[in-house]
């Protein structure tokens, strides 16, 4: 994980700790101990968990090392048109957006999801790459202007990002 993103996560964690109501909409876990991480995780996910063992930001939650195994059941419900049923071992559920899973392609590290299209995710006919890697996903979609693309309406996390000056597209690479 790049140093800039690591510092941003630490700064936001400290800022959230000073806000008494922040647990209602956000929580950044402390970094996991290296021996607590499940074996076989992709390197960039391991790096993230070492910095923040679980990230809840508004309607998006990335699993902690202790909850990661418990959300893999989403793989069982992936629509047949997606590549997940044919290569279940090649995918990892890394979190959720509202109650809908966020997937990582183990081979490329890319983050995928079923974009909203008026139907439940498991009956969807669209499955798209959201970010090329977990670092880009966290930087742009969780801690930046892309958050608005993932959520249907403004919420307290969106307001927090705005207060922190993190929603300005000009400061982001747009990945």
């Amino acid at each position: 994980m790049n140093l800039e993103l690591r510092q941003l996560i630490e700064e936001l964690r400290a800022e959230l700790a000073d806000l008494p109501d922040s647990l209602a909409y956000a929580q950044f876990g402390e970094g996991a101990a290296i021996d607590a991480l499940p074996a076989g995780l992709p390197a960039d996910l391991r790096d993230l968990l070492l910095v923040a063992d679980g990230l809840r930001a508004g309607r998006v939650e990335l699993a902690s090392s202790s909850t990661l195994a418990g959300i893999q059941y989403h793989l069982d419900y992936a629509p047949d048109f997606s590549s997940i049923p044919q290569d279940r071992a090649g995918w990892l559920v890394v979190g959720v957006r509202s109650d809908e899973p966020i997937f990582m392609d183990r081979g490329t590290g890319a983050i995928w999801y079923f974009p909203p299209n008026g139907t439940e995710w498991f009956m969807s006919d669209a499955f798209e790459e959201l970010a090329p890697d977990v670092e880009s996903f966290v930087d742009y979609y969780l801690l930046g202007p892309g958050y608005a693309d993932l959520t249907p309406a403004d919420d307290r996390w969106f307001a927090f990002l705005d207060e922190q000056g993190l929603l300005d597209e000009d400061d982001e690479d747009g990945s």
Side-chain angles (χ1 to χ4, degrees):
M1 170 175 296
N2 74 53
L3 181 59
E4 187 176 301
L5 182 57
R6 178 185 302 264
Q7 289 174 334
L8 178 59
I9 289 171
E10 291 170 1
E11 289 168 11
L12 293 176
R13 181 187 293 127
E15 185 73 26
L16 289 167
D18 291 339
L19 299 173
D21 65 341
S22 67
L23 286 179
Y25 62 90
Q27 187 172 16
F28 288 24
E30 293 294 327
I34 196 151
D35 59 344
L37 296 177
L41 290 180
D44 53 347
L45 182 57
R46 287 177 58 85
D47 289 347
L48 175 63
L49 291 171
L50 290 171
V51 173
D53 192 16
L55 281 170
R56 183 169 46 88
R59 292 182 176 106
V60 179
E61 184 170 353
L62 295 181
S64 67
S65 58
S66 64
T67 61
L68 198 58
I71 62 172
Q72 298 311 304
Y73 71 90
H74 287 97
L75 294 169
D76 296 333
Y77 298 99
D80 288 339
F81 83 87
S82 72
S83 56
I84 294 171
Q86 293 78 32
D87 182 22
R88 190 172 190 266
W91 294 90
L92 179 67
V93 179
V94 295
V96 293
R97 177 182 56 89
S98 294
D99 291 325
E100 300 179 358
I102 299 169
F103 299 88
M104 174 184 271
D105 179 330
R106 287 180 178 266
T108 67
I111 303 299
W112 288 70
Y113 81 133
F114 292 95
N117 63 5
T119 186
E120 297 289 336
W121 72 270
F122 51 85
M123 295 186 300
S124 179
D125 60 358
F127 185 52
E128 298 176 4
E129 182 176 318
L130 193 57
D133 53 53
V134 73
E135 188 173 301
S136 299
F137 174 76
V138 170
D139 187 42
Y140 186 74
Y141 289 100
L142 212 63
L143 307 179
Y147 180 76
D149 298 337
L150 293 180
T151 58
D154 291 350
D155 60 16
R156 292 172 74 188
W157 180 249
F158 183 88
F160 176 79
L161 291 174
D162 192 30
E163 291 166 9
Q164 301 300 313
L166 296 172
L167 297 178
D168 186 2
E169 289 273 358
D170 296 336
D171 293 338
E172 298 292 327
D173 63 5
S175 55

